[in-house]
Amino acid sequence: MTRSADWDSIYQASEQAPWEAGRPQEAFVRLAESGLLSGRVLDAGCGTGDHTLLAALHGAEATGIDCSATAVGRARRKADERGLKVRLEVGDVLDLGSLGTTFDTVVDVGMFHVLDDEERRRYVDSLTSVTEPGGTCHLMCFSDRQPGALGPRRIAQAELRRAFDAGWEVAGIVPETFAIAPRFGTQAHAWLATIRRAAL
């Protein structure tokens, strides 16, 4: 992404970025325990890798990509410490085709809501290019139910449906909570969307 230096500077400034809870989000733990993070899994905007490693721990062939080299470096160290085999790449979520492979499942934990309108369009196109027909994207973003203005853009359900209206089906959107870094509170309102790539 064009703002990769900005994201890297945030990771360099702190051992824990504002959006990191130091553990996987509970909603994704439940998905993993239900067997829904399986096959070839992509963690788009993986940060320091908590959800990439979660998928690998549950038997997935897991790949994470993030524009921050600092974040990816931390993710690789975590993987080594835990003895987990994963692929972690520094790259652009708007050009996922550069990974040279396709995926059965995509997880987006806080990526969508940092994108502007033009980037959203390119992001969905990028996801489409690497998600197998019939594959699933599990996407969690800040909700328009979250009060105040601190943090990322708030997303309405209708915005998610519009963004994925071509080649995808929004199977469901449910309210969830984001765990965040303790110095910013404990949690924030979120949506968890289940979005399926149209089968051929």
Side-chain angles (χ1 to χ4, degrees), residues 31-155:
L31 289 173
E33 291 176 346
S34 299
L36 296 176
L37 302 187
S38 59
R40 291 163 297 162
V41 174
L42 172 65
D43 183 1
C46 66
T48 62
D50 287 329
H51 300 91
T52 316
L53 301 181
L54 173 69
L57 186 63
H58 285 80
E61 182 182 334
T63 297
I65 184 171
D66 199 279
C67 66
S68 168
T70 300
V72 171
R74 290 181 189 169
R76 288 172 176 162
R77 287 195 294 276
K78 287 181 185 178
D80 289 343
E81 289 166 359
R82 300 173 195 181
L84 292 171
K85 183 180 178 182
V86 294
R87 178 185 177 190
L88 293 157
E89 300 287 348
V90 178
D92 188 348
V93 297
L94 305 183
D95 183 26
L96 293 169
S98 64
L99 291 170
T101 189
T102 58
F103 301 91
D104 306 300
T105 304
V106 177
V107 298
D108 173 337
V109 188
M111 183 71 241
F112 182 85
H113 64 213
V114 305
L115 303 173
D116 64 30
D117 293 344
E118 171 59 20
E119 288 170 332
R120 285 184 193 177
R121 183 190 63 76
R122 293 172 57 199
Y123 178 55
V124 173
D125 288 346
S126 183
L127 289 176
T128 302
S129 73
V130 297
T131 306
E132 288 286 345
T136 303
C137 175
H138 299 285
L139 185 157
M140 194 159 83
C141 62
F142 253 52
S143 163
D144 54 353
R145 296 158 56 246
Q146 177 66 21
L150 183 66
R153 293 174 67 176
R154 277 57 169 163
I155 305 296

Side-chain angles (χ1 to χ4, degrees), residues 1 3-12 19 67-68 114:
M1 294 178 61
R3 299 192 298 260
S4 59
D6 295 332
W7 293 112
D8 208 47
S9 68
I10 295 171
Y11 282 106
Q12 290 171 356
W19 50 85
C67 66
S68 168
V114 305

